[in-house]
Amino acid sequence: MSRLVLTDRFIAGLRPQSRVVCFDSVARGLALRATPNGAKTWVFVYRSLGKLKWLTLGAYPGVKLAEARDLADAKRRAVDVEKRAPAKEQKAEKRAAKAKAEAESKVFTFADMAKLYETFAMGKKKTWH
């Protein structure tokens, strides 16, 4: 784990032999994880209740260095000033999105069809019951 002044040129040319984590000396808590297969991911590292938390910010080059620094500064402000836990908030958002997706993709069952037919048949058929 090295602390460097990260630059776009350095990040683009980074080809590690094993997984490395490079911390940025400009934005406190910002790090770049790089793997031998070419994956480069921005993470924000902070302590919460004595434990180290790693929060993924996005993948390089989708999230550029300047954007990653801005995101890290915002997360650092949330941790230090607002006393929030960004990792917990991110997990809660993911859970809410998953629950919403499951609710939207509800399967249409035979019971649903029976209720629908019953409301239709009540007005049209004498023998609906």
Short mmCIF file of all heavy atoms in Angstrom, two decimals, residues 33-102:
data_model
loop_
_atom_site.label_atom_id
_atom_site.label_comp_id
_atom_site.label_asym_id
_atom_site.label_seq_id
_atom_site.Cartn_x
_atom_site.Cartn_y
_atom_site.Cartn_z
N ARG A 33 -7.51 0.52 -6.49
CA ARG A 33 -7.18 -0.91 -6.49
C ARG A 33 -6.93 -1.31 -7.93
O ARG A 33 -7.77 -1.06 -8.80
CB ARG A 33 -8.34 -1.74 -5.97
CG ARG A 33 -8.52 -1.73 -4.50
CD ARG A 33 -9.65 -2.69 -4.17
NE ARG A 33 -9.91 -2.71 -2.75
CZ ARG A 33 -10.98 -3.24 -2.19
NH1 ARG A 33 -11.91 -3.78 -2.95
NH2 ARG A 33 -11.14 -3.23 -0.90
N ALA A 34 -5.82 -1.96 -8.19
CA ALA A 34 -5.49 -2.41 -9.54
C ALA A 34 -5.12 -3.89 -9.50
O ALA A 34 -4.44 -4.34 -8.58
CB ALA A 34 -4.34 -1.59 -10.11
N THR A 35 -5.60 -4.63 -10.49
CA THR A 35 -5.33 -6.07 -10.57
C THR A 35 -4.55 -6.37 -11.84
O THR A 35 -4.54 -5.57 -12.78
CB THR A 35 -6.65 -6.87 -10.56
OG1 THR A 35 -7.41 -6.49 -11.70
CG2 THR A 35 -7.45 -6.62 -9.30
N PRO A 36 -3.92 -7.54 -11.90
CA PRO A 36 -3.15 -7.89 -13.10
C PRO A 36 -3.98 -8.00 -14.37
O PRO A 36 -3.46 -7.79 -15.46
CB PRO A 36 -2.56 -9.27 -12.74
CG PRO A 36 -2.60 -9.36 -11.27
CD PRO A 36 -3.75 -8.52 -10.83
N ASN A 37 -5.28 -8.30 -14.26
CA ASN A 37 -6.10 -8.42 -15.46
C ASN A 37 -6.55 -7.07 -16.01
O ASN A 37 -7.27 -7.02 -16.98
CB ASN A 37 -7.30 -9.33 -15.22
CG ASN A 37 -8.29 -8.75 -14.23
OD1 ASN A 37 -8.07 -7.67 -13.69
ND2 ASN A 37 -9.37 -9.46 -13.99
N GLY A 38 -6.13 -5.99 -15.39
CA GLY A 38 -6.41 -4.66 -15.91
C GLY A 38 -7.54 -3.91 -15.22
O GLY A 38 -7.81 -2.76 -15.56
N ALA A 39 -8.22 -4.53 -14.26
CA ALA A 39 -9.31 -3.85 -13.56
C ALA A 39 -8.73 -2.82 -12.59
O ALA A 39 -7.81 -3.11 -11.83
CB ALA A 39 -10.14 -4.87 -12.79
N LYS A 40 -9.31 -1.63 -12.64
CA LYS A 40 -8.89 -0.53 -11.76
C LYS A 40 -10.14 0.06 -11.14
O LYS A 40 -11.03 0.51 -11.85
CB LYS A 40 -8.12 0.52 -12.55
CG LYS A 40 -6.84 -0.01 -13.16
CD LYS A 40 -6.20 0.99 -14.09
CE LYS A 40 -5.03 0.34 -14.80
NZ LYS A 40 -4.54 1.15 -15.89
N THR A 41 -10.19 0.06 -9.81
CA THR A 41 -11.38 0.48 -9.10
C THR A 41 -11.02 1.53 -8.05
O THR A 41 -10.06 1.36 -7.30
CB THR A 41 -12.04 -0.74 -8.40
OG1 THR A 41 -12.25 -1.76 -9.35
CG2 THR A 41 -13.36 -0.35 -7.78
N TRP A 42 -11.84 2.58 -8.00
CA TRP A 42 -11.67 3.62 -6.97
C TRP A 42 -12.39 3.19 -5.71
O TRP A 42 -13.52 2.71 -5.76
CB TRP A 42 -12.27 4.94 -7.44
CG TRP A 42 -11.57 5.54 -8.60
CD1 TRP A 42 -12.03 5.64 -9.87
CD2 TRP A 42 -10.27 6.14 -8.61
NE1 TRP A 42 -11.11 6.26 -10.67
CE2 TRP A 42 -10.02 6.58 -9.92
CE3 TRP A 42 -9.30 6.34 -7.64
CZ2 TRP A 42 -8.83 7.20 -10.28
CZ3 TRP A 42 -8.11 6.97 -8.00
CH2 TRP A 42 -7.89 7.39 -9.30
N VAL A 43 -11.72 3.36 -4.57
CA VAL A 43 -12.34 3.06 -3.28
C VAL A 43 -12.08 4.20 -2.32
O VAL A 43 -11.09 4.93 -2.45
CB VAL A 43 -11.83 1.73 -2.67
CG1 VAL A 43 -12.28 0.55 -3.48
CG2 VAL A 43 -10.33 1.73 -2.52
N PHE A 44 -12.99 4.35 -1.37
CA PHE A 44 -12.82 5.31 -0.29
C PHE A 44 -12.66 4.51 0.99
O PHE A 44 -13.48 3.65 1.30
CB PHE A 44 -14.03 6.24 -0.20
CG PHE A 44 -13.98 7.18 0.96
CD1 PHE A 44 -13.05 8.20 0.99
CD2 PHE A 44 -14.84 7.04 2.03
CE1 PHE A 44 -12.98 9.07 2.06
CE2 PHE A 44 -14.78 7.91 3.11
CZ PHE A 44 -13.85 8.92 3.12
N VAL A 45 -11.59 4.76 1.73
CA VAL A 45 -11.26 4.01 2.93
C VAL A 45 -11.39 4.93 4.14
O VAL A 45 -10.85 6.03 4.14
CB VAL A 45 -9.83 3.44 2.85
CG1 VAL A 45 -9.53 2.58 4.05
CG2 VAL A 45 -9.63 2.66 1.56
N TYR A 46 -12.13 4.46 5.15
CA TYR A 46 -12.28 5.24 6.38
C TYR A 46 -12.49 4.29 7.55
O TYR A 46 -12.72 3.10 7.37
CB TYR A 46 -13.45 6.22 6.27
CG TYR A 46 -14.82 5.58 6.23
CD1 TYR A 46 -15.61 5.51 7.37
CD2 TYR A 46 -15.33 5.04 5.05
CE1 TYR A 46 -16.86 4.93 7.33
CE2 TYR A 46 -16.57 4.47 5.00
CZ TYR A 46 -17.34 4.41 6.14
OH TYR A 46 -18.57 3.82 6.12
N ARG A 47 -12.37 4.83 8.76
CA ARG A 47 -12.59 4.05 9.96
C ARG A 47 -13.94 4.39 10.56
O ARG A 47 -14.31 5.55 10.66
CB ARG A 47 -11.52 4.32 11.00
CG ARG A 47 -10.20 3.69 10.67
CD ARG A 47 -9.30 3.63 11.89
NE ARG A 47 -8.02 3.08 11.54
CZ ARG A 47 -7.77 1.76 11.50
NH1 ARG A 47 -8.70 0.92 11.82
NH2 ARG A 47 -6.58 1.33 11.15
N SER A 48 -14.65 3.33 10.99
CA SER A 48 -15.92 3.50 11.67
C SER A 48 -15.92 2.54 12.86
O SER A 48 -15.83 1.32 12.67
CB SER A 48 -17.08 3.19 10.71
OG SER A 48 -18.30 3.26 11.41
N LEU A 49 -16.03 3.10 14.04
CA LEU A 49 -16.01 2.32 15.27
C LEU A 49 -14.77 1.43 15.35
O LEU A 49 -14.82 0.28 15.76
CB LEU A 49 -17.27 1.47 15.40
CG LEU A 49 -18.60 2.24 15.39
CD1 LEU A 49 -19.77 1.28 15.34
CD2 LEU A 49 -18.68 3.16 16.60
N GLY A 50 -13.65 1.98 14.93
CA GLY A 50 -12.38 1.27 15.00
C GLY A 50 -12.13 0.28 13.88
O GLY A 50 -11.06 -0.33 13.82
N LYS A 51 -13.09 0.08 12.99
CA LYS A 51 -12.92 -0.87 11.89
C LYS A 51 -12.71 -0.13 10.58
O LYS A 51 -13.32 0.90 10.34
CB LYS A 51 -14.14 -1.77 11.77
CG LYS A 51 -14.33 -2.70 12.94
CD LYS A 51 -15.49 -3.62 12.70
CE LYS A 51 -15.67 -4.56 13.88
NZ LYS A 51 -16.81 -5.45 13.68
N LEU A 52 -11.87 -0.71 9.73
CA LEU A 52 -11.60 -0.14 8.42
C LEU A 52 -12.75 -0.48 7.47
O LEU A 52 -13.15 -1.64 7.37
CB LEU A 52 -10.30 -0.72 7.88
CG LEU A 52 -9.43 0.17 7.02
CD1 LEU A 52 -9.07 1.44 7.77
CD2 LEU A 52 -8.18 -0.55 6.61
N LYS A 53 -13.28 0.50 6.79
CA LYS A 53 -14.38 0.31 5.84
C LYS A 53 -13.88 0.72 4.45
O LYS A 53 -13.25 1.76 4.28
CB LYS A 53 -15.59 1.18 6.20
CG LYS A 53 -16.14 0.94 7.58
CD LYS A 53 -16.86 -0.37 7.64
CE LYS A 53 -17.46 -0.53 9.03
NZ LYS A 53 -18.19 -1.75 9.18
N TRP A 54 -14.20 -0.12 3.46
CA TRP A 54 -13.83 0.13 2.07
C TRP A 54 -15.11 0.35 1.28
O TRP A 54 -15.93 -0.55 1.17
CB TRP A 54 -13.06 -1.05 1.49
CG TRP A 54 -11.72 -1.25 2.12
CD1 TRP A 54 -11.48 -1.72 3.39
CD2 TRP A 54 -10.46 -0.99 1.54
NE1 TRP A 54 -10.14 -1.77 3.62
CE2 TRP A 54 -9.48 -1.32 2.50
CE3 TRP A 54 -10.05 -0.51 0.32
CZ2 TRP A 54 -8.12 -1.19 2.26
CZ3 TRP A 54 -8.69 -0.39 0.07
CH2 TRP A 54 -7.74 -0.72 1.04
N LEU A 55 -15.27 1.52 0.71
CA LEU A 55 -16.46 1.89 -0.04
C LEU A 55 -16.08 2.08 -1.51
O LEU A 55 -15.26 2.94 -1.83
CB LEU A 55 -17.06 3.18 0.53
CG LEU A 55 -18.31 3.71 -0.12
CD1 LEU A 55 -19.47 2.78 0.18
CD2 LEU A 55 -18.61 5.09 0.39
N THR A 56 -16.66 1.30 -2.40
CA THR A 56 -16.35 1.39 -3.82
C THR A 56 -17.01 2.62 -4.42
O THR A 56 -18.20 2.85 -4.24
CB THR A 56 -16.84 0.13 -4.56
OG1 THR A 56 -16.23 -1.01 -3.97
CG2 THR A 56 -16.49 0.19 -6.03
N LEU A 57 -16.23 3.42 -5.14
CA LEU A 57 -16.73 4.64 -5.77
C LEU A 57 -17.00 4.46 -7.26
O LEU A 57 -17.81 5.18 -7.83
CB LEU A 57 -15.73 5.78 -5.58
CG LEU A 57 -15.41 6.17 -4.13
CD1 LEU A 57 -14.34 7.24 -4.11
CD2 LEU A 57 -16.65 6.62 -3.41
N GLY A 58 -16.33 3.52 -7.89
CA GLY A 58 -16.52 3.29 -9.32
C GLY A 58 -15.27 2.75 -9.95
O GLY A 58 -14.23 2.63 -9.32
N ALA A 59 -15.36 2.42 -11.22
CA ALA A 59 -14.25 1.83 -11.96
C ALA A 59 -13.59 2.88 -12.85
O ALA A 59 -14.27 3.75 -13.40
CB ALA A 59 -14.73 0.66 -12.80
N TYR A 60 -12.28 2.79 -12.97
CA TYR A 60 -11.54 3.63 -13.90
C TYR A 60 -11.61 2.96 -15.25
O TYR A 60 -11.51 1.75 -15.32
CB TYR A 60 -10.09 3.76 -13.42
CG TYR A 60 -9.23 4.62 -14.32
CD1 TYR A 60 -9.22 5.98 -14.18
CD2 TYR A 60 -8.47 4.05 -15.33
CE1 TYR A 60 -8.46 6.78 -15.01
CE2 TYR A 60 -7.71 4.83 -16.17
CZ TYR A 60 -7.71 6.19 -16.00
OH TYR A 60 -6.95 6.98 -16.83
N PRO A 61 -11.83 3.61 -16.34
CA PRO A 61 -11.88 5.02 -16.64
C PRO A 61 -13.28 5.62 -16.60
O PRO A 61 -13.45 6.78 -16.93
CB PRO A 61 -11.31 5.11 -18.05
CG PRO A 61 -11.76 3.84 -18.70
CD PRO A 61 -11.74 2.82 -17.60
N GLY A 62 -14.28 4.86 -16.18
CA GLY A 62 -15.63 5.40 -16.06
C GLY A 62 -15.68 6.57 -15.10
O GLY A 62 -16.38 7.55 -15.33
N VAL A 63 -14.95 6.46 -14.01
CA VAL A 63 -14.83 7.55 -13.04
C VAL A 63 -13.40 8.04 -13.14
O VAL A 63 -12.45 7.32 -12.81
CB VAL A 63 -15.15 7.05 -11.60
CG1 VAL A 63 -14.94 8.16 -10.61
CG2 VAL A 63 -16.56 6.51 -11.53
N LYS A 64 -13.23 9.25 -13.62
CA LYS A 64 -11.90 9.83 -13.79
C LYS A 64 -11.31 10.24 -12.44
O LYS A 64 -12.01 10.28 -11.43
CB LYS A 64 -11.97 11.06 -14.71
CG LYS A 64 -12.47 10.75 -16.09
CD LYS A 64 -11.43 10.00 -16.86
CE LYS A 64 -11.90 9.79 -18.30
NZ LYS A 64 -11.11 8.83 -18.98
N LEU A 65 -10.04 10.58 -12.44
CA LEU A 65 -9.32 10.95 -11.22
C LEU A 65 -9.96 12.16 -10.53
O LEU A 65 -10.18 12.14 -9.31
CB LEU A 65 -7.85 11.24 -11.52
CG LEU A 65 -6.98 11.74 -10.38
CD1 LEU A 65 -6.94 10.72 -9.25
CD2 LEU A 65 -5.58 12.04 -10.87
N ALA A 66 -10.29 13.19 -11.27
CA ALA A 66 -10.88 14.39 -10.68
C ALA A 66 -12.24 14.08 -10.05
O ALA A 66 -12.55 14.54 -8.94
CB ALA A 66 -11.03 15.48 -11.74
N GLU A 67 -13.05 13.26 -10.72
CA GLU A 67 -14.35 12.87 -10.18
C GLU A 67 -14.17 12.03 -8.91
O GLU A 67 -14.91 12.20 -7.94
CB GLU A 67 -15.13 12.06 -11.21
CG GLU A 67 -15.50 12.82 -12.46
CD GLU A 67 -16.05 11.90 -13.54
OE1 GLU A 67 -16.53 10.80 -13.21
OE2 GLU A 67 -15.98 12.29 -14.71
N ALA A 68 -13.20 11.13 -8.93
CA ALA A 68 -12.95 10.28 -7.76
C ALA A 68 -12.52 11.12 -6.57
O ALA A 68 -12.94 10.86 -5.43
CB ALA A 68 -11.89 9.23 -8.09
N ARG A 69 -11.70 12.13 -6.82
CA ARG A 69 -11.28 13.02 -5.73
C ARG A 69 -12.47 13.79 -5.16
O ARG A 69 -12.58 13.96 -3.95
CB ARG A 69 -10.19 13.97 -6.20
CG ARG A 69 -8.84 13.30 -6.32
CD ARG A 69 -7.75 14.25 -6.75
NE ARG A 69 -6.46 13.57 -6.73
CZ ARG A 69 -5.43 13.93 -7.46
NH1 ARG A 69 -5.52 14.96 -8.29
NH2 ARG A 69 -4.30 13.26 -7.38
N ASP A 70 -13.34 14.26 -6.04
CA ASP A 70 -14.55 14.96 -5.58
C ASP A 70 -15.44 14.04 -4.75
O ASP A 70 -15.95 14.43 -3.70
CB ASP A 70 -15.34 15.53 -6.76
CG ASP A 70 -14.62 16.67 -7.46
OD1 ASP A 70 -13.70 17.27 -6.84
OD2 ASP A 70 -14.96 16.96 -8.62
N LEU A 71 -15.63 12.82 -5.22
CA LEU A 71 -16.44 11.84 -4.48
C LEU A 71 -15.81 11.53 -3.12
O LEU A 71 -16.52 11.46 -2.11
CB LEU A 71 -16.59 10.55 -5.28
CG LEU A 71 -17.50 10.60 -6.50
CD1 LEU A 71 -17.35 9.33 -7.32
CD2 LEU A 71 -18.94 10.79 -6.06
N ALA A 72 -14.49 11.36 -3.10
CA ALA A 72 -13.79 11.06 -1.85
C ALA A 72 -13.91 12.23 -0.87
O ALA A 72 -14.11 12.02 0.33
CB ALA A 72 -12.33 10.73 -2.11
N ASP A 73 -13.81 13.46 -1.38
CA ASP A 73 -13.96 14.63 -0.50
C ASP A 73 -15.37 14.69 0.08
O ASP A 73 -15.55 15.01 1.25
CB ASP A 73 -13.64 15.92 -1.27
CG ASP A 73 -12.15 16.06 -1.57
OD1 ASP A 73 -11.34 15.40 -0.89
OD2 ASP A 73 -11.82 16.83 -2.49
N ALA A 74 -16.37 14.37 -0.73
CA ALA A 74 -17.75 14.37 -0.24
C ALA A 74 -17.95 13.29 0.82
O ALA A 74 -18.61 13.53 1.85
CB ALA A 74 -18.72 14.16 -1.41
N LYS A 75 -17.38 12.11 0.59
CA LYS A 75 -17.49 11.03 1.57
C LYS A 75 -16.73 11.37 2.85
O LYS A 75 -17.19 11.08 3.95
CB LYS A 75 -16.96 9.71 1.00
CG LYS A 75 -17.70 9.23 -0.23
CD LYS A 75 -19.15 8.92 0.05
CE LYS A 75 -19.81 8.39 -1.21
NZ LYS A 75 -21.24 8.32 -1.12
N ARG A 76 -15.57 12.00 2.70
CA ARG A 76 -14.79 12.40 3.88
C ARG A 76 -15.57 13.42 4.70
O ARG A 76 -15.60 13.36 5.93
CB ARG A 76 -13.44 12.98 3.44
CG ARG A 76 -12.56 13.54 4.54
CD ARG A 76 -12.18 12.56 5.61
NE ARG A 76 -11.52 11.39 5.09
CZ ARG A 76 -11.40 10.25 5.78
NH1 ARG A 76 -11.88 10.15 7.00
NH2 ARG A 76 -10.81 9.22 5.26
N ARG A 77 -16.25 14.35 4.04
CA ARG A 77 -17.08 15.32 4.75
C ARG A 77 -18.23 14.63 5.48
O ARG A 77 -18.54 14.96 6.62
CB ARG A 77 -17.64 16.35 3.77
CG ARG A 77 -18.55 17.37 4.40
CD ARG A 77 -18.96 18.46 3.43
NE ARG A 77 -19.97 19.31 3.97
CZ ARG A 77 -19.80 20.23 4.92
NH1 ARG A 77 -18.60 20.39 5.44
NH2 ARG A 77 -20.79 20.97 5.35
N ALA A 78 -18.83 13.63 4.83
CA ALA A 78 -19.93 12.88 5.47
C ALA A 78 -19.43 12.17 6.72
O ALA A 78 -20.14 12.12 7.73
CB ALA A 78 -20.52 11.88 4.49
N VAL A 79 -18.23 11.63 6.67
CA VAL A 79 -17.69 10.89 7.82
C VAL A 79 -17.25 11.83 8.93
O VAL A 79 -17.63 11.66 10.10
CB VAL A 79 -16.50 10.01 7.38
CG1 VAL A 79 -15.77 9.42 8.58
CG2 VAL A 79 -16.98 8.90 6.47
N ASP A 80 -16.46 12.85 8.58
CA ASP A 80 -15.87 13.71 9.60
C ASP A 80 -16.83 14.77 10.14
O ASP A 80 -16.90 14.98 11.34
CB ASP A 80 -14.62 14.41 9.05
CG ASP A 80 -13.47 13.43 8.84
OD1 ASP A 80 -13.54 12.31 9.38
OD2 ASP A 80 -12.51 13.78 8.12
N VAL A 81 -17.54 15.45 9.26
CA VAL A 81 -18.37 16.58 9.67
C VAL A 81 -19.78 16.15 10.05
O VAL A 81 -20.30 16.50 11.10
CB VAL A 81 -18.41 17.65 8.56
CG1 VAL A 81 -19.31 18.81 8.94
CG2 VAL A 81 -17.00 18.15 8.25
N GLU A 82 -20.41 15.37 9.17
CA GLU A 82 -21.81 15.01 9.37
C GLU A 82 -21.99 13.74 10.20
O GLU A 82 -23.11 13.36 10.52
CB GLU A 82 -22.49 14.84 8.01
CG GLU A 82 -22.46 16.12 7.19
CD GLU A 82 -22.85 15.91 5.74
OE1 GLU A 82 -23.30 14.80 5.39
OE2 GLU A 82 -22.71 16.86 4.96
N LYS A 83 -20.89 13.07 10.53
CA LYS A 83 -20.90 11.85 11.37
C LYS A 83 -21.82 10.77 10.81
O LYS A 83 -22.57 10.13 11.53
CB LYS A 83 -21.31 12.18 12.81
CG LYS A 83 -20.46 13.24 13.47
CD LYS A 83 -19.04 12.79 13.63
CE LYS A 83 -18.25 13.88 14.38
NZ LYS A 83 -16.84 13.76 14.19
N ARG A 84 -21.76 10.58 9.49
CA ARG A 84 -22.56 9.55 8.83
C ARG A 84 -21.65 8.40 8.43
O ARG A 84 -20.43 8.55 8.37
CB ARG A 84 -23.26 10.10 7.59
CG ARG A 84 -24.30 11.15 7.90
CD ARG A 84 -25.06 11.57 6.67
NE ARG A 84 -24.16 12.20 5.69
CZ ARG A 84 -24.27 12.02 4.37
NH1 ARG A 84 -25.21 11.27 3.87
NH2 ARG A 84 -23.44 12.62 3.54
N ALA A 85 -22.25 7.25 8.11
CA ALA A 85 -21.51 6.08 7.65
C ALA A 85 -21.89 5.81 6.19
O ALA A 85 -22.93 5.22 5.92
CB ALA A 85 -21.82 4.88 8.51
N PRO A 86 -21.08 6.26 5.23
CA PRO A 86 -21.42 6.09 3.82
C PRO A 86 -21.59 4.63 3.39
O PRO A 86 -22.43 4.33 2.54
CB PRO A 86 -20.25 6.73 3.08
CG PRO A 86 -19.59 7.61 4.05
CD PRO A 86 -19.85 7.02 5.40
N ALA A 87 -20.85 3.73 3.98
CA ALA A 87 -20.96 2.31 3.59
C ALA A 87 -22.33 1.76 3.99
O ALA A 87 -22.97 1.04 3.23
CB ALA A 87 -19.85 1.49 4.24
N LYS A 88 -22.81 2.11 5.17
CA LYS A 88 -24.14 1.66 5.61
C LYS A 88 -25.23 2.26 4.73
O LYS A 88 -26.20 1.59 4.38
CB LYS A 88 -24.39 2.05 7.06
CG LYS A 88 -23.65 1.21 8.06
CD LYS A 88 -24.03 1.59 9.47
CE LYS A 88 -23.28 0.74 10.47
NZ LYS A 88 -23.61 1.09 11.85
N GLU A 89 -25.07 3.53 4.37
CA GLU A 89 -26.05 4.18 3.49
C GLU A 89 -26.09 3.51 2.13
O GLU A 89 -27.17 3.30 1.56
CB GLU A 89 -25.71 5.66 3.35
CG GLU A 89 -25.90 6.45 4.63
CD GLU A 89 -25.39 7.88 4.52
OE1 GLU A 89 -24.89 8.27 3.44
OE2 GLU A 89 -25.47 8.59 5.53
N GLN A 90 -24.92 3.16 1.60
CA GLN A 90 -24.86 2.51 0.29
C GLN A 90 -25.53 1.14 0.34
O GLN A 90 -26.26 0.77 -0.57
CB GLN A 90 -23.41 2.38 -0.17
CG GLN A 90 -23.27 1.90 -1.60
CD GLN A 90 -21.83 1.80 -2.04
OE1 GLN A 90 -20.99 1.29 -1.30
NE2 GLN A 90 -21.55 2.28 -3.24
N LYS A 91 -25.30 0.39 1.42
CA LYS A 91 -25.94 -0.93 1.55
C LYS A 91 -27.45 -0.78 1.66
O LYS A 91 -28.20 -1.57 1.07
CB LYS A 91 -25.40 -1.65 2.79
CG LYS A 91 -24.04 -2.26 2.59
CD LYS A 91 -23.59 -3.00 3.83
CE LYS A 91 -22.19 -3.55 3.64
NZ LYS A 91 -21.73 -4.27 4.85
N ALA A 92 -27.91 0.23 2.41
CA ALA A 92 -29.35 0.45 2.54
C ALA A 92 -29.98 0.81 1.20
O ALA A 92 -31.07 0.35 0.87
CB ALA A 92 -29.62 1.54 3.57
N GLU A 93 -29.29 1.63 0.40
CA GLU A 93 -29.79 1.99 -0.92
C GLU A 93 -29.88 0.76 -1.83
O GLU A 93 -30.86 0.60 -2.57
CB GLU A 93 -28.86 3.02 -1.57
CG GLU A 93 -28.96 4.40 -0.96
CD GLU A 93 -27.94 5.37 -1.52
OE1 GLU A 93 -27.22 5.00 -2.48
OE2 GLU A 93 -27.83 6.48 -0.99
N LYS A 94 -28.87 -0.11 -1.77
CA LYS A 94 -28.90 -1.32 -2.58
C LYS A 94 -30.06 -2.24 -2.18
O LYS A 94 -30.74 -2.81 -3.02
CB LYS A 94 -27.58 -2.08 -2.46
CG LYS A 94 -26.46 -1.47 -3.26
CD LYS A 94 -25.21 -2.31 -3.17
CE LYS A 94 -24.07 -1.69 -3.96
NZ LYS A 94 -22.85 -2.49 -3.89
N ARG A 95 -30.27 -2.38 -0.86
CA ARG A 95 -31.38 -3.21 -0.38
C ARG A 95 -32.72 -2.64 -0.83
O ARG A 95 -33.61 -3.38 -1.24
CB ARG A 95 -31.35 -3.30 1.15
CG ARG A 95 -30.45 -4.39 1.65
CD ARG A 95 -30.67 -4.62 3.14
NE ARG A 95 -29.35 -4.72 3.76
CZ ARG A 95 -28.87 -3.89 4.66
NH1 ARG A 95 -29.59 -2.91 5.13
NH2 ARG A 95 -27.67 -4.05 5.13
N ALA A 96 -32.88 -1.32 -0.75
CA ALA A 96 -34.13 -0.68 -1.16
C ALA A 96 -34.36 -0.86 -2.66
O ALA A 96 -35.48 -1.14 -3.10
CB ALA A 96 -34.11 0.80 -0.81
N ALA A 97 -33.31 -0.72 -3.46
CA ALA A 97 -33.44 -0.90 -4.91
C ALA A 97 -33.79 -2.35 -5.25
O ALA A 97 -34.61 -2.60 -6.13
CB ALA A 97 -32.14 -0.51 -5.60
N LYS A 98 -33.20 -3.29 -4.52
CA LYS A 98 -33.50 -4.70 -4.77
C LYS A 98 -34.95 -5.02 -4.39
O LYS A 98 -35.64 -5.71 -5.13
CB LYS A 98 -32.55 -5.57 -3.96
CG LYS A 98 -32.69 -7.04 -4.24
CD LYS A 98 -31.67 -7.86 -3.46
CE LYS A 98 -31.83 -9.33 -3.75
NZ LYS A 98 -30.88 -10.15 -2.97
N ALA A 99 -35.41 -4.48 -3.26
CA ALA A 99 -36.79 -4.72 -2.83
C ALA A 99 -37.77 -4.10 -3.83
O ALA A 99 -38.81 -4.70 -4.15
CB ALA A 99 -37.01 -4.13 -1.44
N LYS A 100 -37.45 -2.92 -4.35
CA LYS A 100 -38.31 -2.26 -5.33
C LYS A 100 -38.37 -3.08 -6.62
O LYS A 100 -39.45 -3.25 -7.20
CB LYS A 100 -37.79 -0.86 -5.62
CG LYS A 100 -38.65 -0.09 -6.58
CD LYS A 100 -38.10 1.30 -6.84
CE LYS A 100 -38.95 2.03 -7.86
NZ LYS A 100 -38.39 3.33 -8.22
N ALA A 101 -37.22 -3.60 -7.05
CA ALA A 101 -37.19 -4.41 -8.27
C ALA A 101 -37.99 -5.69 -8.10
O ALA A 101 -38.69 -6.13 -9.02
CB ALA A 101 -35.75 -4.74 -8.64
N GLU A 102 -37.90 -6.30 -6.92
CA GLU A 102 -38.66 -7.52 -6.67
C GLU A 102 -40.16 -7.23 -6.64
O GLU A 102 -40.96 -8.02 -7.11
CB GLU A 102 -38.23 -8.16 -5.36
CG GLU A 102 -36.87 -8.82 -5.42
CD GLU A 102 -36.41 -9.35 -4.08
OE1 GLU A 102 -37.12 -9.17 -3.07
OE2 GLU A 102 -35.32 -9.95 -4.04
#
